[in-house]
Amino acid sequence: MLTERKTELLRTLVGEYIDSATPVASESVTIKHSLGVSPATVRNDMADLEEQGYITRPHHSAGAVPSDRGYRFYVERLSKVEELSPEFQYTLRYQFTKAERDIEVWTRLAATALAQLVNNAALVTYPKKPQSRLMRINLVQVQDSLAFLILVLQEVKLRKQLIPLSEPLSSDDLQMIANRLSDSMNGLSREEILAQTVEISPFERTVTDMVLDIMESEDSAQYRDHCIEGLRHLLNQPEFSNGQKAREIVEVLEDKELPKAVIAESPERGHMKIIIGEENRVGFLHPLSMVVCQYGLPGGGAGSISALGPTRMAYSRTIAGVRFISSLMTDLLAQVHG
């Protein structure tokens, strides 16, 4: 248990290191911050913090670098999370409102906005239900013998596939067929569509079979589709500036296991989780910290929003960004589902 004085010193050391990315010397702390103690006391307290594993120093007179334990102590005692400006919130909401109602577009927007806000990487997964449910079907004529099947799932996810026409059908004919099938299958899962016994034409059977195939593929997917943005921000961090470290970070973000690792850490909806350095379950994430939160609706599918950066990330701003964008994505899905 740290004394109040050592708690304040550790909070100051971590904050200073987050801002500067350089080891923090006792003299710097004494000069820049009014801790009300002598330089000798600061040096002694730093030695105690090092002994207890909150900071590391190459040698006794060197500056302090927070350890994972030090960052954990700092994060759990954040007195106030940074507030995002009303202008930023309004601008982002406007961008989403004007964007196409497609979860792929929203996911990319969310990842890009978060990466820019926190100056690190962001990974956003699409919302996924245990079973996908159909929202509507569109059929668009391409040429006399070919049409586009556009399947819209309740997760606001679009799936497109070309479908051959055995006989020419007008745009109006295709729209009528699409409307009839949409009305009969709206809100149904693949199993519920299979259980239907309605009379349909041979072409409607072809369309239905394609719909079933697409939904089967969605339901059997092992993990959610996702979007990653912000690699350039991450590589600009001092921790990853040399060639070897940069290659390792690129490998992390390109690793096919990364989305699974993020999903595995996602807390229950409405909660946020911060994983620091070696607290990550998988070794390739040990150089990074991750702030992750779920978004979505009860029974309406859930996705995750996460920011990834060095353990020296600006935790207050990152928490605020993940929390806001998670709330925004939840609001957008609520509008779609009425």
Side-chain angles (χ1 to χ4, degrees), residues 1-19 24 29 33 35 45-46 49 54-55 64 66 69-80 313 315-316:
M1 185 71 178
L2 295 181
T3 64
E4 185 177 341
R5 189 182 73 207
K6 289 177 183 175
T7 295
E8 183 59 28
L9 174 59
L10 180 56
R11 185 184 291 117
T12 301
L13 289 171
V14 175
E16 186 77 17
Y17 185 72
I18 287 173
D19 290 340
V24 183
V29 173
H33 303 275
L35 299 179
D45 286 349
M46 285 176 66
L49 291 173
Y54 292 103
I55 63 173
R69 187 181 186 192
Y71 284 120
R72 171 55 60 193
F73 187 91
Y74 173 84
V75 165
E76 291 182 352
R77 285 159 182 79
L78 277 174
S79 57
K80 187 177 181 181
M313 69 161 53
Y315 288 97
S316 179

Side-chain angles (χ1 to χ4, degrees), residues 179-328:
N179 290 341
R180 187 159 56 246
L181 291 175
S182 293
D183 289 343
S184 67
M185 296 190 287
N186 178 262
L188 300 185
S189 68
R190 180 177 182 275
E191 286 72 19
E192 290 167 341
I193 294 172
L194 280 169
Q196 284 188 323
T197 57
V198 294
E199 289 276 338
I200 56 177
S201 69
F203 178 67
E204 289 173 336
R205 169 51 59 195
T206 299
V207 174
T208 301
D209 288 343
M210 283 193 170
V211 168
L212 292 170
D213 287 344
I214 292 171
M215 294 180 72
E216 182 179 29
S217 177
E218 281 293 313
D219 292 345
S220 63
Q222 292 187 349
Y223 64 86
R224 304 171 181 91
D225 292 335
H226 64 280
C227 182
I228 299 178
E229 295 289 343
L231 175 60
R232 69 183 186 280
H233 300 307
L234 198 53
L235 295 181
N236 281 334
Q237 299 291 349
E239 291 88 340
F240 311 126
S241 59
N242 73 61
Q244 178 59 33
K245 290 291 185 182
R247 283 192 294 273
E248 290 174 1
I249 290 302
V250 171
E251 288 174 2
V252 168
L253 295 192
E254 290 182 345
D255 197 306
K256 293 180 180 179
E257 297 299 311
L258 179 59
K260 295 179 186 178
V262 171
I263 291 167
E265 296 289 2
S266 296
E268 292 182 5
R269 193 180 293 105
H271 296 271
M272 182 171 294
K273 190 172 183 181
I274 302 166
I275 308 98
I276 299 170
E278 294 190 6
E279 295 174 0
N280 282 291
R281 303 182 198 185
V282 291
F284 64 77
L285 285 175
H286 286 176
L288 301 171
S289 283
M290 178 165 61
V291 178
V292 58
C293 183
Q294 274 200 19
Y295 71 90
L297 305 171
S304 66
I305 292 179
S306 58
L308 298 98
T311 52
R312 186 196 51 81
M313 69 161 53
Y315 288 97
S316 179
R317 186 170 184 78
T318 304
I319 291 169
V322 171
R323 179 177 293 158
F324 172 72
I325 294 178
S326 170
S327 173
L328 178 56

Side-chain angles (χ1 to χ4, degrees), residues 70-182:
Y71 284 120
R72 171 55 60 193
F73 187 91
Y74 173 84
V75 165
E76 291 182 352
R77 285 159 182 79
L78 277 174
S79 57
K80 187 177 181 181
V81 172
E82 180 177 339
E83 292 186 11
L84 304 179
S85 71
E87 294 79 11
F88 172 83
Q89 296 184 37
Y90 174 81
T91 299
L92 196 55
R93 286 187 184 277
Y94 180 79
Q95 290 175 353
F96 275 89
T97 301
K98 291 300 181 182
E100 181 183 354
R101 280 196 170 194
D102 182 348
I103 196 61
E104 294 183 29
V105 175
W106 286 348
T107 300
R108 186 168 60 253
L109 266 177
T112 300
L114 181 59
Q116 291 174 347
L117 177 66
V118 303
N119 202 33
N120 275 309
L123 187 151
V124 181
T125 67
Y126 297 2
K128 181 172 175 59
K129 294 181 179 180
Q131 285 187 319
S132 57
R133 289 186 177 274
L134 189 141
M135 191 170 183
R136 70 175 181 274
I137 293 169
N138 289 326
L139 290 168
V140 179
Q141 189 178 46
V142 177
Q143 55 190 47
D144 288 346
S145 60
L146 201 61
F148 235 137
L149 165 64
I150 303 174
L151 179 64
V152 186
L153 302 176
Q154 283 190 350
E155 295 88 346
V156 205
K157 187 182 294 184
L158 302 181
R159 286 293 177 259
K160 304 175 183 179
Q161 189 167 323
L162 288 170
I163 181 169
L165 302 178
S166 56
E167 59 184 61
L169 292 170
S170 69
S171 295
D172 288 342
D173 291 336
L174 290 172
Q175 190 59 54
M176 284 178 50
I177 293 169
N179 290 341
R180 187 159 56 246
L181 291 175
S182 293

